[in-house]
Amino acid sequence: MYVLLQIGILVISLVLLERGADWLVEGASSLGERFHVSELFIGLTVVAFGTSAPEFAVSLVGALQHKGGIAIGNVIGSNIANIALILGITLMMGKIVTKKKTLMYEIPFLIAVQLSATMLFLKDGYFDYHDGIILLAFLAIFLVYAVSTSKSEFIEEVKEVEAPKKSLLSASLLTIVGLAGVTAGGELGVYSAVNIARSLHVSETLIATTIVAFGTSVPELATSLKAASKSKKDLALGNVIGSNMFNILGVLGVSSLFSRISPDRNVNVDLLFMNGIGILLFLIFLNRHRSAKGWKGVILVVSYVLYIVYGIMMR
């Protein structure tokens, strides 16, 4: 009976994810048209922050309950999953060509953010109020940059024949309902997995870096795959980059204001994986055409599998 219940929950979560991702991509793209901002900007901000809501909820609750392993492990694991698994699968579906600005500014900024967070943690082995202030200051800088460049990107994207625009109300409703769908779907999918893992006496940090991190990254996965299938690859890439930015700067930043965050096991290798995957993201697009396709996606997915295997071996 218990297994049937879990299967039923899984089916419901998959339906919510599929429908929610479809509505979210459609609504977010329409919002970009209405406000004359680029798909990349919408992906970096509205979609990225929205799909990071599960990470924010899990890490904040973990911090408030003084379960630092959940708070920090969820962020590290989600950032690894977003690039290695989500972008990897997206690339396996087809080629992505990134803008020069994204390769030269946004991806390096993400690398710098992850390295900065790593150094803040390594100096004393935890994140506290002062670290949170620094991280939130970085978030403010990123948002100012994103807003200041959004209009020029939109002008570059305008096509000779534009599709009819949805009304502002319908685009907003689609975006909100889509975000609710992918968030609820991700939460339902991870619920039973966490309980099973805890019954096997697995550490909270391992649960956070693997099961919880994957579950809270499912909204990003569903959204990026749907965006790629609709040839909105700027939105898919922006979703991954923006989600990782918000996980480090917003999720960890806010959580650190409420409680000192320290893990219940060593996370130095996890941090090494996170930074290595960020650098790998830059390298796979570092070519004359600023493009990446199938085989590079395979490399990313294999990297994620290796990380999961490491986590299980070190539990």
Side-chain angles (χ1 to χ4, degrees):
M1 188 67 181
Y2 179 78
V3 174
L4 290 176
L5 176 62
Q6 299 307 314
I7 293 174
I9 292 174
L10 177 62
V11 171
I12 293 172
S13 70
L14 290 174
V15 172
L16 284 172
L17 284 167
E18 197 283 327
R19 285 290 80 207
D22 192 27
W23 294 330
L24 175 56
V25 171
E26 187 177 348
S29 297
S30 297
L31 280 178
E33 291 180 355
R34 297 294 302 182
F35 288 103
H36 301 291
V37 293
S38 68
E39 283 182 2
L40 181 64
F41 172 76
I42 291 294
L44 284 168
T45 54
V46 177
V47 175
F49 290 9
T51 54
S52 287
E55 286 92 334
F56 183 77
V58 169
S59 291
L60 183 58
V61 170
L64 291 174
Q65 295 180 351
H66 304 290
K67 295 182 177 179
I70 292 290
I72 190 171
N74 177 43
V75 168
I76 296 172
S78 292
N79 275 26
I80 294 171
N82 284 347
I83 295 175
L85 181 64
I86 295 172
L87 186 60
I89 293 175
T90 305
L91 288 175
M92 290 166 67
M93 291 179 59
K95 183 170 70 173
I96 291 180
V97 179
T98 187
K99 289 181 169 63
K100 182 178 180 180
K101 184 177 70 66
T102 301
L103 181 64
M104 300 309 296
Y105 296 105
E106 278 125 25
I107 296 177
F109 188 79
L110 173 60
I111 294 172
V113 161
Q114 294 188 153
L115 284 171
S116 298
T118 299
M119 289 187 288
L120 286 174
F121 174 79
L122 292 178
K123 68 177 171 53
D124 43 29
Y126 56 80
F127 288 102
D128 60 12
Y129 178 87
H130 300 98
D131 299 323
I133 295 294
I134 294 172
L135 294 175
L136 290 173
F138 270 109
L139 178 61
I141 292 170
F142 171 68
L143 289 176
V144 169
Y145 162 79
V147 172
S148 67
T149 60
S150 61
K151 296 290 185 179
S152 59
E153 286 176 344
F154 177 80
I155 293 172
E156 294 175 7
E157 289 181 1
V158 172
K159 301 172 184 177
E160 292 183 9
V161 180
E162 294 187 51
K165 297 176 180 176
K166 292 183 179 298
S167 69
L168 179 59
L169 177 61
S170 63
S172 299
L173 286 175
L174 274 175
T175 303
I176 293 169
V177 173
L179 282 172
V182 294
T183 301
E187 288 294 305
L188 287 174
V190 78
Y191 175 76
S192 59
V194 169
N195 288 332
I196 292 171
R198 282 178 175 157
S199 70
L200 298 174
H201 305 292
V202 176
S203 76
E204 284 188 345
T205 303
L206 176 60
I207 293 173
T209 56
T210 55
I211 298 171
V212 177
F214 175 77
T216 55
S217 291
V218 167
E220 284 94 336
L221 175 60
T223 303
S224 292
L225 291 180
K226 183 62 69 172
S229 70
K230 292 187 172 186
S231 298
K232 297 182 180 296
K233 294 190 171 71
D234 271 348
L235 195 152
L237 182 59
N239 179 33
V240 168
I241 297 173
S243 290
N244 279 23
M245 293 275 200
F246 187 70
N247 285 345
I248 293 287
L249 304 178
V251 175
L252 264 184
V254 172
S255 299
S256 299
L257 298 180
F258 293 94
S259 174
R260 177 181 291 183
I261 298 175
S262 57
D264 60 351
R265 74 170 175 86
N266 191 299
V267 294
N268 290 351
V269 176
D270 301 84
L271 288 167
L272 180 63
F273 261 96
M274 182 183 73
N275 286 289
I277 290 296
I279 294 170
L280 183 58
L281 171 64
F282 177 76
L283 293 177
I284 64 175
F285 284 105
L286 187 61
N287 54 71
R288 187 174 63 177
H289 301 292
R290 301 188 304 278
S291 65
K293 53 185 177 181
W295 67 271
K296 292 183 178 179
V298 172
I299 292 175
L300 288 174
V301 172
V302 170
S303 299
Y304 184 72
V305 172
L306 291 175
Y307 171 69
I308 295 299
V309 170
Y310 158 78
I312 293 173
M313 290 176 62
M314 296 301 293
R315 76 186 181 90

